[in-house]
Amino acid sequence: MTQKTLISPSILSADFATLGAEIAAIDAAGADMIHVDVMDGHYVPNLTIGPAVIKALRPHSQKPFDVHLMISPVDPLLEDFANAGADIITVHPDAGPHTHRTLQAIKGLGLKAGIALNPGTPIDAIDYLMDDLDLILVMSVNPGYGGQSFIRSQLTKIKALRERIDAVGRDIILEVDGGVNPETAPLCRAAGATALVAGSAVFKGAGTYAENIKALR
Ligand code: DX5
Ligand code: ZN
């Protein structure tokens, strides 16, 4: 499959004092999506931003907001994230008791729905959910922080998911998140990923944002 690799910079590594300008800058630098990491200090140890900040950021880019919810419970806040301007909402299956219902709720809000698999989560978490998914996010670090090292065992998972997606023949984005840099990006692509999240490699890489994004493609 020859397909352009989508790059979704994670604003977790951006300058939080100037987030609007940072988003405009990565947009101009060629980002395909804007990855927004939402953490609640409960499902994951870290705490970041919520719907009010996302709503304030929305006018700063027309690119899709790829919102990664690391919160539990997740259902009560889905509508707030939709109203804030999310285009894709990705949830963790162990963040709530009824993943299928959560995915239906996201689709019911008119958004694309994704599921995120932690490094220790087996791929059978997506059994029976393939018809409802627009995106599968493989976590190649444990969720909670930017700047961690890529966990290589996840390449096997990416390959297995690629086969499953090809078998059902649906247009599901296969995205990788965590420790993605110019060395690990080609491994992810070779395994079958179609989208890459990168925080440190874009915002703290050696070059300009445009150069850093280009180095990941
Ligand atoms: C981790 C987040 C990631 C993270 C990626 O919980 O989901 O999106 O910010 O950061 P890097 O690219 O620095 O590993
Ligand atoms: Zn993320």
Side-chain angles (χ1 to χ4, degrees):
M1 188 190 304
T2 48
Q3 198 178 342
K4 183 189 172 202
T5 308
L6 302 172
I7 304 294
S8 191
S10 163
I11 61 169
L12 189 59
S13 297
D15 179 355
F16 268 34
T18 59
L19 267 187
E22 290 276 63
I23 283 180
I26 50 169
D27 180 323
D32 299 292
M33 305 192 282
I34 313 291
H35 188 82
V36 183
D37 286 306
V38 177
M39 306 186 184
D40 66 353
H42 166 73
Y43 178 73
V44 287
N46 202 359
L47 194 57
T48 59
I49 61 171
V53 175
I54 294 173
K55 189 171 187 185
L57 294 173
R58 189 61 273 195
H60 294 266
S61 170
Q62 301 301 313
K63 304 270 170 77
F65 274 20
D66 168 28
V67 176
H68 177 193
L69 297 183
M70 288 160 275
I71 64 174
S72 175
V74 64
D75 293 349
L77 286 168
L78 292 175
E79 197 170 347
D80 288 353
F81 284 105
N83 291 337
D87 297 282
I88 305 170
I89 291 183
T90 297
V91 299
H92 285 253
D94 48 356
H98 305 294
T99 308
H100 184 271
R101 176 180 286 155
T102 301
L103 296 174
Q104 294 297 317
I106 296 168
K107 308 279 268 187
L109 291 163
L111 308 183
K112 291 189 172 175
I115 200 164
L117 303 179
N118 286 330
T121 306
I123 63 168
D124 61 13
I126 60 158
D127 284 356
Y128 313 110
L129 296 176
M130 290 298 270
D131 290 346
D132 304 287
L133 289 172
D134 301 297
L135 182 148
I136 301 171
L137 180 65
V138 175
M139 293 302 303
S140 40
V141 299
N142 285 293
Y145 301 98
Q148 303 181 77
S149 298
F150 187 87
I151 300 171
R152 296 220 166 209
S153 60
Q154 301 309 301
L155 290 168
T156 313
K157 189 188 283 180
I158 298 165
K159 280 191 195 116
L161 287 166
R162 173 80 271 147
E163 285 172 17
R164 285 216 190 183
I165 292 169
D166 290 346
V168 297
R170 286 194 58 239
D171 190 15
I172 298 174
I173 297 169
L174 182 53
E175 187 173 51
V176 184
D177 184 5
V180 175
N181 57 37
E183 287 74 50
T184 55
L187 306 176
C188 297
R189 266 204 312 277
T194 53
L196 302 175
V197 174
S200 316
V202 170
F203 288 99
K204 295 177 178 157
T208 63
Y209 292 169
E211 287 164 352
N212 294 342
I213 288 172
K214 198 169 168 219
L216 295 170
R217 288 201 201 276

